[in-house]
Amino acid sequence: KDGYQIRDWSFTGTVDPEGNVEIRGIPEEQLDLLNVGKWQKIKSWSPLPPDGPGAAMRGPFHMTLTVEENTQPVIHVDQWLDLGDKLIRRVHYQARILRTDDHLTPDCKYEAPKKPKCPHREYLKTKIKYGQKNGVTVEAAKDLGTGEVTTKVGGSAGNVEAGLDSKGTVSVDGSYGYATGSTKVNINDGSYQISVGVGVDTERLAPKGFPAKIKEKLELTYDSKCGWGIKGTIGGGAFGGSAAVEGCVFLTKGP
């Protein structure tokens, strides 16, 4: 936080004649972590490089002591650790460890999180929606370009539908006559998308009791990451379920 954080901790260790160092003990103080734009306290990990992922990250830690010309002994650390985790794949450890009574001024530079970039200038994805009890629906969407699959749980009241998908996006879609509109907000990064347009629903035109329906929409869209775009949707439904294809082409580059 604020570029660096100073922590005190007690540790024990040994150094053999070849300069091999083993240190035991990790910091007990909590660490400030920026998580989804908010600072929170977490149990700290050691700044020393472990032998591997998992339990080894609690030590003991093994390094090498070297003696630079006309200086005292020092430990240099600059290595990567592959975690294989879905959220954190690799960790980069960098350190310079020395003994001194002088005041140390860290030279770490803190950079504010950058705004998310537009993932793609255009997309085309399929959607399949299943009706559930008590008005709850489950929707699965697949991006045909990236292969990414997202799921959404939602419901509807009148001509308004709302839901939350697996990427943390809250969406609200509505219609009045032939006018359509929708708003999507990603609660993880604060990005949003607003669309307005026109739509045709064959349910209004087909004879009463017709078992299937087709919907078409053409909308003007503004995405906070990708700028302005044109979005089109065509889909059909029957017996409580529906399938659709949604495509969008962005006309300008995002911020």
Side-chain angles (χ1 to χ4, degrees):
K1 191 174 185 179
D2 301 323
Y4 66 90
Q5 188 166 7
I6 297 177
R7 292 175 290 162
D8 296 325
W9 80 92
S10 298
F11 58 87
T12 60
T14 58
V15 182
D16 68 16
E18 285 74 36
N20 298 310
V21 180
E22 180 179 281
I23 293 179
R24 296 178 179 271
I26 61 175
E28 297 295 331
E29 292 181 276
Q30 288 188 318
L31 182 71
D32 290 301
L33 176 71
L34 186 63
N35 184 18
V36 196
K38 296 182 179 180
W39 289 104
Q40 65 182 40
K41 295 285 187 180
I42 66 166
K43 291 183 177 180
S44 60
W45 58 84
S46 177
L48 306 178
D51 296 340
M57 296 184 72
R58 299 188 63 84
F61 307 96
H62 298 96
M63 291 159 288
T64 302
L65 187 70
T66 59
V67 179
E68 299 176 340
E69 186 177 357
N70 299 323
T71 63
Q72 61 180 338
V74 64
I75 297 174
H76 286 291
V77 174
D78 189 358
Q79 64 191 67
W80 290 87
L81 174 66
D82 291 317
L83 293 181
D85 187 80
K86 293 182 179 179
L87 296 178
I88 304 176
R89 296 180 180 179
R90 303 180 73 197
V91 178
H92 190 193
Y93 288 89
Q94 290 179 296
R96 176 180 169 87
I97 304 172
L98 68 158
R99 178 179 178 178
T100 180
D101 295 325
D102 297 333
H103 178 70
L104 297 179
T105 302
D107 60 358
C108 304
K109 296 180 180 179
Y110 169 72
E111 295 183 2
K114 297 180 180 179
K115 281 190 174 183
K117 295 182 179 180
C118 181
H120 36 224
R121 293 295 305 277
E122 59 185 41
Y123 67 80
L124 184 68
K125 58 186 177 183
T126 59
K127 296 182 177 182
I128 300 178
K129 183 183 295 184
Y130 304 90
Q132 302 291 325
K133 293 182 179 180
N134 302 321
V136 177
T137 58
V138 177
E139 179 182 288
K142 181 177 182 179
D143 190 306
L144 299 182
T146 63
E148 182 181 32
V149 176
T150 57
T151 57
K152 181 173 74 174
V153 178
S156 61
N159 294 327
V160 178
E161 296 183 2
L164 173 66
D165 69 19
S166 54
K167 295 178 65 176
T169 300
V170 178
S171 62
V172 179
D173 297 80
S175 63
Y176 184 78
Y178 292 111
T180 68
S182 63
T183 301
K184 297 180 181 180
V185 178
N186 189 293
I187 59 179
N188 292 322
D189 60 23
S191 60
Y192 62 89
Q193 185 182 102
I194 300 175
S195 302
V196 292
V198 293
V200 177
D201 189 340
T202 58
E203 189 177 22
R204 300 174 180 271
L205 307 175
K208 187 176 182 180
F210 191 69
K213 58 184 179 180
I214 298 176
K215 290 184 177 181
E216 296 182 22
K217 291 194 299 182
L218 183 65
E219 298 176 303
L220 178 66
T221 296
Y222 178 76
D223 190 293
S224 63
K225 294 184 291 185
C226 302
W228 292 96
I230 300 294
K231 182 168 64 175
T233 306
I234 182 170
F239 310 110
S242 66
V245 177
E246 177 185 291
C248 186
V249 176
F250 293 102
L251 308 177
T252 60
K253 293 183 179 180

